Amino acid sequence: VCPDPYFSGVDMTGVDLGGLKEGETEGKPPLLKRFMEGKYWTEEPDIDYSDHINVPAHAPYERIKDPHNAIKAYIGMCNMIDVYVGRLLDALERMGARDNTLLVFTTDHGDMLGRHGMWGKGAAAYDDCQRIPLVAQWPAGGARVGRSPAVFNLVDVMPTFLDAAGVQSPPFVQGVSQMPV
């Protein structure tokens, strides 16, 4: 669900609607091939594709009622986030807290959005789900401006925040501070 004006304001000109490409399932493991073809594990209970978890595969591209509108809603929601982040930044500026606020924007996963014949998340290690945004800004923290090729994992968020606050991470924490980056 994407409210207006964000939904109606999206220009879909040139937007790739995804889909399964000819021959794309060739050479793929059986479970991934089934996901890409939109089949369910429950359709062939005598074939063991999983660790016995009876969960349906991602909905196939053809079963999405309107891929155009699904992708349009996704883009519209991203645009809506931009507006609300802007409002947050404006409020911090008015309060005089903008420069000393560590801002981090990220997400836990992407969405297939019909790419490779799949919708949703989690089934396959494609960039569509794995490469997620992470934007950080802290003017008072002296951070460099620009892009970094560093790999930032979500387990790094807590140690990075602790480091920014001058607190050492507990020894059991898996992540590492990304403050040097």
Side-chain angles (χ1 to χ4, degrees):
V1 176
C2 180
D4 272 329
Y6 308 104
F7 181 78
S8 62
V10 174
D11 178 4
M12 292 294 288
T13 305
V15 173
D16 178 8
L17 296 181
L20 188 59
K21 308 288 189 255
E22 181 72 31
E24 191 171 2
T25 62
E26 291 177 24
K28 301 293 185 196
L31 180 59
L32 180 56
K33 185 175 179 178
R34 288 180 60 79
F35 278 150
M36 295 171 84
E37 293 170 347
K39 295 180 182 172
Y40 291 84
W41 294 339
T42 56
E43 291 175 359
E44 297 180 37
D46 56 322
I47 299 175
D48 184 17
Y49 286 107
S50 68
D51 57 359
H52 306 287
I53 298 172
N54 196 16
V55 179
H58 290 258
Y61 187 74
E62 293 77 23
R63 290 173 60 185
I64 299 296
K65 290 182 181 171
D66 187 347
H68 178 273
N69 279 344
I71 294 171
K72 183 175 180 177
Y74 186 91
I75 294 169
M77 287 186 282
C78 291
N79 293 339
M80 185 173 74
I81 289 171
D82 286 347
V83 168
Y84 280 87
V85 168
R87 289 175 60 185
L88 173 65
L89 294 174
D90 290 345
L92 288 169
E93 190 70 41
R94 284 191 307 274
M95 295 181 335
R98 175 67 188 90
D99 286 347
N100 200 30
T101 300
L102 171 59
L103 296 168
V104 176
F105 177 84
T106 190
T107 183
D108 60 341
H109 58 77
D111 192 293
M112 294 306 294
L113 291 175
R115 305 303 185 269
H116 315 288
M118 296 181 279
W119 288 86
K121 62 176 176 96
Y126 284 104
D127 280 355
D128 307 83
C129 283
Q130 304 298 318
R131 291 185 60 133
I132 59 172
L134 185 128
V135 178
Q137 188 179 51
W138 186 22
R144 295 184 311 266
V145 175
R147 297 185 98 155
S148 170
V151 175
F152 192 114
N153 196 297
L154 292 180
V155 297
D156 299 330
V157 171
M158 191 229 347
T160 301
F161 284 179
L162 290 175
D163 190 14
V167 177
Q168 189 172 8
S169 290
F172 58 82
V173 173
Q174 294 177 359
V176 297
S177 172
Q178 296 291 327
M179 285 302 293
V181 176

